[in-house]
């Protein structure tokens, strides 16, 4: 069935537009001027769009209910512009809106997963340094763990044997770890002060 292009105003829901079958209306939208037929498509899909809109949940503060409704309409028109229905005429509005609803739902899901966490003074702060954080010190390059071991041994004066027990290694291995950390903290090939 070829759609008739009557002289009614766009989206007015005139007699010619309302008497079209769903397949003919989609064909008219796909083939004819989109501005003329988009209002009729959206108007006739009103009840299905309303139900779909109520099933979708907003993601404040970035997306509110109006944004979701607008995105649902955009997706319906995008699908209608290229979809050639292969089902009975009575199933077309439901399938069209369900496809648009799925796309909007996927977008909302992505939006929810990418929400930024607002910093709050009530949030707990972890005192543990990041394990692979590397500091470029004036003396050389050392990891956070290297600096922590050196601080505990050289500044706080903790015994190497106590650190070894805490780490579950022998004192000899801990001395080697302290020595390696010290070497990494020193500048390679530096012309700094000589050791005494």
């Amino acid at each position: 069935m070829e759609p008739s292009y009557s002289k009614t105003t766009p989206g007015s829901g005139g007699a010619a537009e309302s008497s079209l079958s769903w397949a003919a209306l989609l064909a008219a939208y796909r083939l004819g001027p989109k501005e003329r037929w988009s209002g009729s498509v959206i108007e006739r899909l009103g009840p299905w769009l309303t139900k779909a809109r109520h099933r979708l949940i907003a993601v404040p503060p970035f997306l509110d209910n109006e944004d979701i409704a607008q995105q649902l309409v955009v997706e319906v028109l995008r699908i209608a512009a290229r979809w050639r229905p292969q089902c009975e005429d009575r199933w077309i509005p439901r399938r069209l809106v369900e496809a648009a609803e799925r796309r909007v739902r996927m977008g909302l899901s992505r939006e929810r997963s990418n929400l930024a966490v607002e910093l709050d003074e009530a949030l707990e702060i972890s005192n543990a340094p990041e394990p692979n954080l590397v500091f470029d010190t004036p003396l050389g390059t050392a990891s956070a763990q290297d600096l922590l071991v050196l601080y505990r041994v050289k500044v706080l004066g903790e015994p190497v044997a106590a650190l070894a027990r805490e780490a579950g290694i022998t004192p000899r291995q801990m001395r080697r770890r302290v020595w390696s950390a010290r070497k990494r903290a020193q500048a390679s090939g530096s012309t700094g002060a000589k050791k005494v």
Side-chain angles (χ1 to χ4, degrees):
M1 172 190 297
E2 196 62 33
S4 64
Y5 297 98
S6 63
K7 296 283 183 186
T8 58
T9 59
S12 65
E17 293 177 10
S18 61
S19 65
L20 288 176
S21 68
W22 281 106
L25 181 61
L26 288 184
Y29 178 71
R30 199 171 52 247
L31 302 172
K34 303 230 183 309
E35 298 81 21
R36 180 186 182 327
W37 294 100
S38 59
S40 297
V41 170
I42 297 304
E43 187 177 320
R44 285 188 56 190
L45 286 174
W48 289 276
L49 288 171
T50 302
K51 287 179 183 177
R53 171 56 211 99
H54 288 297
R55 287 189 296 262
L56 296 169
I57 300 170
V59 184
F62 306 109
L63 295 172
D64 60 3
N65 291 333
E66 290 178 13
D67 293 331
I68 293 173
Q70 183 178 14
Q71 188 61 34
L72 191 60
V73 168
V74 167
E75 289 298 331
V76 161
L77 293 176
R78 183 179 297 156
I79 294 167
R82 54 191 155 84
W83 184 46
R84 296 179 189 270
Q86 302 296 320
C87 58
E88 291 181 34
D89 203 56
R90 63 186 174 133
W91 295 106
I92 291 175
R94 180 178 175 177
R95 289 195 178 172
L96 183 62
V97 173
E98 283 177 349
E101 182 182 355
R102 275 191 301 275
R103 286 188 178 193
V104 172
R105 189 177 307 281
M106 286 177 13
L108 290 173
S109 173
R110 280 191 305 272
E111 191 71 33
R112 277 189 202 92
S113 67
N114 293 330
L115 281 178
V117 176
E118 293 290 326
L119 295 179
D120 188 8
E121 293 178 14
L123 292 176
E124 293 183 24
I125 300 172
S126 172
N127 291 332
E130 295 182 24
N132 53 359
L133 188 60
V134 176
F135 297 98
D136 189 13
T137 64
L139 300 175
T141 304
S143 69
Q145 288 293 6
D146 291 340
L147 294 177
L148 181 62
V149 167
L150 289 174
Y151 177 77
R152 289 179 72 181
V153 170
K154 299 295 183 184
V155 177
L156 297 179
E158 293 184 23
V160 172
L163 291 173
R165 275 193 305 277
E166 186 179 308
I169 57 176
T170 66
R172 182 178 180 155
Q173 290 170 325
M174 182 53 77
R175 279 192 295 278
R176 183 166 288 164
R177 188 177 285 180
V178 170
W179 181 81
S180 299
R182 192 168 159 201
K183 287 297 180 192
R184 282 190 292 272
Q186 292 177 346
S188 59
S190 68
T191 58
K194 294 181 183 177
K195 291 185 186 177
V196 182

